[in-house]
Amino acid sequence: MIRNICTLLVAVSVHTCYLRHMSKGIDELVGAIDSLLAVDPDDLTDGELHDLVTALQRQRHRMAAVAATAISAWDQRMVWADNGAGSAAVRLANDTSASSASAGAEVKRARRLRTMPHVAAALAAGHLATDHVDLLARANQPWRTASFADHEEFLVGQCTTLRFPAARKMIDYWCARADAIAAEDRAE
């Protein structure tokens, strides 16, 4: 009996510590955003303003990775269904005042990132934008899954060095080649 109570107390203590840690992280994020909101762009030099804009974009990409990880778990565990919502996208849109389209895109991206570990890591590092993630996800179709897995690290590496229009051309070329090779393999 005492052992069970001790086990329960340890579990509650660990859970409470985790919640405090998570809450602290969110509090720190809120504080950081508040600090950035207090920055007046007109008080910055052109170089400082450029550095701020690019740093914010990279951190925004990283934040997208954090959100995708949480949304993925929330979706897989069907937490969204506890209020009777018909889908994860509907619940996310309703609870965050987002459009159905953008909430759906967030859920879809989170689901796709589950199968693309190199893409997820590059997004978390701030090396890829969500535009690149969506581009790579479109390349990772069911009929290309094995080929994509074999080439994912290379494709991510290319996307991190190319501007987006060039990355799109490269991915389109890769898709055409992967499809052609698959067709040749099926013909043999």
Side-chain angles (χ1 to χ4, degrees):
M1 174 80 166
I2 296 214
R3 178 194 252 142
N4 290 343
I5 292 172
C6 287
T7 302
L8 179 62
L9 288 174
V10 167
V12 168
S13 176
V14 168
H15 181 71
T16 302
C17 181
Y18 174 76
L19 288 176
R20 261 192 253 123
H21 178 70
M22 183 183 69
S23 178
K24 181 181 178 198
I26 295 294
D27 290 345
E28 289 172 355
L29 177 62
V30 169
I33 291 171
D34 288 343
S35 293
L36 289 166
L37 286 169
V39 172
D40 185 349
D42 293 334
D43 292 340
L44 303 176
T45 66
D46 289 351
E48 291 169 336
L49 183 57
H50 174 77
D51 290 346
L52 175 64
V53 168
T54 56
L56 286 171
Q57 288 298 75
R58 290 207 186 279
Q59 296 312 308
R60 188 171 166 197
H61 304 325
R62 295 185 70 218
M63 192 63 211
V66 172
T69 300
I71 291 168
S72 178
W74 178 77
D75 179 40
Q76 280 188 311
R77 290 168 35 189
M78 296 183 68
V79 175
W80 53 266
D82 70 2
N83 76 343
S87 72
V90 167
R91 176 75 182 266
L92 187 60
N94 289 343
D95 288 359
T96 63
S97 300
S99 71
S100 299
S102 65
E106 291 285 334
V107 171
K108 183 177 180 181
R109 184 178 302 121
R111 288 174 180 163
R112 300 302 300 272
L113 279 168
R114 290 180 205 150
T115 66
M116 302 186 301
H118 294 287
V119 175
L123 181 64
H127 298 309
L128 289 180
T130 54
D131 297 327
H132 289 97
V133 172
D134 296 342
L135 177 67
L136 288 158
R138 285 192 295 275
N140 187 20
Q141 295 298 316
W143 63 90
R144 292 188 204 114
T145 300
S147 184
F148 185 87
D150 291 342
H151 296 106
E152 180 185 3
E153 187 172 9
F154 169 78
L155 295 172
V156 168
Q158 293 300 302
C159 284
T160 62
T161 62
L162 297 171
R163 292 196 171 144
F164 188 79
R168 183 176 39 232
K169 285 181 184 177
M170 183 271 302
I171 293 295
D172 289 347
Y173 177 78
W174 180 86
C175 288
R177 290 295 307 138
D179 291 347
I181 291 168
E184 288 171 13
D185 289 348
R186 282 192 304 273
E188 291 177 357

